[in-house]
Amino acid sequence: MDTLIQQLINGMMLGSIYGLIALGYTMVYGILRIINFAHGDILMVGALTTLSGINLLSQWFPGMNLLVQLTLALMAAMVVCALLAMAVERFAYRRLRNAPRLAPLISGIGISVLLQTVAMLIWSRNPLMFPQILPMDPIEITAGSAEHPPAIITVTGIVTLAVTFLVMLGLWLLVEYSRLGRGMRAVAENPQVASLMGVSPNRIIILTFAIGGAFAALAGVMMASNYGSASFSMGFLPGIKAFTAAVLGGIGNIRGAMLGGILLGLIEALGAGYLGDLTGGAFSSNYQDILAFIVLILVLVFRPAGLLGERVAQRA
């Protein structure tokens, strides 16, 4: 039971980050029917920009509280990533909205490679240590025993779960009940009709990319805080897994992105924990990435619309 609870905690923490990243994929796809494969690298830019901001603030204001430094640096990184996402939409996707679907896919992959290369030139190719601002001391959830250690969680893990679910809830409320959300749904339904009703499709699309970029920066900082490092390549694999989560939950559906992220995190954690025991350690946590792609294949084969389907209607 202690092992099960620990793997569930690990899966929830990992899945919440996947879900947060998946929101960027599902928002853009819901409106444009485009998969933004540069989204994971915007996450990387957010983490490294936050790290640079913390280093600058520690030099300029050595007496400043570390948590305040993280907050200010994160806010700056979210602005940078929002602007970067808007630039990606402007230069990589805007002219390809009506092109064959392969064209924006190739464009997104090109932007991904470009961002990784630029990040490598700016921050070097070596992983950089991310400061542990929140306590990493383990908090015991269960009593444990002599044979099995207790299930634990850290303050960083608790904050990750809390912030992620609050952000997801806030985005859902924004889309469902705000004027901007109504504009998003109108453009997703039919951009031509929406423009006749006074909604600017370009403005809605730009804001959608900006919100997705800001969330990507937040997810990047959460990843770097949990793993203790950041690098130019840190966004590629989580980006692919978040895309898997979006497909699993139903791409184009915000609640589906949340559900898919949590499920994928649980599948990885439980698979790495129990398959390792069943195979005598042959299946270690290093192979848990395989599970994400097995899930992606199965979903695409047996339920392409995802668990919650796609709420956005087909365009005329």
Side-chain angles (χ1 to χ4, degrees):
M1 182 59 66
D2 294 329
T3 302
L4 174 62
I5 294 175
Q6 183 63 67
Q7 296 302 335
L8 290 176
I9 293 173
N10 295 341
M12 290 287 290
M13 289 175 53
L14 187 61
S16 64
I17 296 176
Y18 288 160
L20 187 57
I21 305 171
L23 289 175
Y25 284 104
T26 205
M27 288 171 63
V28 171
Y29 182 84
I31 292 178
L32 288 180
R33 300 297 193 275
I34 288 176
I35 303 298
N36 179 18
F37 273 114
H39 189 65
D41 297 289
I42 295 175
L43 170 154
M44 169 269 298
V45 172
L48 290 173
T49 302
T50 301
L51 178 59
S52 297
I54 292 173
N55 292 336
L56 288 175
L57 288 173
S58 64
Q59 293 176 10
W60 295 343
F61 308 101
M64 182 180 291
N65 181 273
L66 290 177
L67 187 58
V68 176
Q69 290 182 7
L70 173 62
T71 303
L72 294 176
L74 174 58
M75 292 173 63
M78 292 176 73
V79 172
V80 169
C81 288
L83 294 174
L84 177 59
M86 292 165 65
V88 169
E89 186 278 329
R90 176 64 181 85
F91 296 106
Y93 294 123
R94 182 169 298 184
R95 293 182 179 272
L96 302 177
R97 290 177 187 174
N98 298 317
R101 293 193 177 184
L102 188 60
L105 176 65
I106 296 173
S107 179
I109 294 173
I111 292 294
S112 173
V113 174
L114 175 63
L115 290 178
Q116 289 188 41
T117 303
V118 171
M120 182 174 61
L121 294 174
I122 296 175
W123 287 286
S124 83
R125 63 186 304 121
N126 300 318
L128 303 176
M129 297 300 295
F130 199 89
Q132 297 296 332
I133 295 176
L134 296 176
M136 292 297 290
D137 298 330
I139 301 172
E140 295 187 359
I141 304 298
T142 61
S145 63
E147 298 180 355
H148 299 284
I152 61 172
I153 193 171
T154 63
V155 174
T156 301
I158 295 173
V159 172
T160 297
L161 289 171
V163 171
T164 302
F165 282 108
L166 286 175
V167 168
M168 289 180 176
L169 177 61
L171 178 61
W172 180 75
L173 293 174
L174 173 73
V175 172
E176 292 294 327
Y177 299 106
S178 71
R179 182 177 180 181
L180 175 60
R182 290 192 296 271
M184 288 179 176
R185 286 176 296 170
V187 174
E189 184 78 21
N190 192 309
Q192 289 78 24
V193 174
S195 63
L196 293 176
M197 300 298 293
V199 177
S200 173
N202 279 335
R203 176 177 173 272
I204 295 297
I205 291 169
I206 290 172
L207 289 175
T208 300
F209 270 85
I211 293 172
F215 285 169
L218 179 60
V221 170
M222 289 181 176
M223 282 189 59
S225 297
N226 279 282
Y227 293 110
S229 65
S231 69
F232 76 97
S233 60
M234 66 177 289
F236 176 74
L237 191 57
I240 297 296
K241 290 183 178 180
F243 169 67
T244 303
V247 174
L248 174 61
I251 192 163
N253 187 309
I254 291 178
R255 290 179 297 176
M258 305 177 198
L259 176 63
I262 296 298
L263 288 178
L264 185 61
L266 291 173
I267 289 170
E268 284 195 9
L270 293 173
Y274 287 100
L275 289 179
D277 294 339
L278 293 175
T279 58
F283 190 97
S284 67
S285 59
N286 295 325
Y287 299 114
Q288 69 182 19
D289 297 337
I290 298 173
L291 298 175
F293 298 106
I294 291 175
V295 169
L296 176 60
I297 293 170
L298 293 176
V299 172
L300 290 175
V301 170
F302 294 105
R303 193 174 175 83
L307 297 177
L308 298 185
E310 186 176 339
R311 297 181 61 190
V312 179
Q314 294 293 325
R315 295 179 184 172

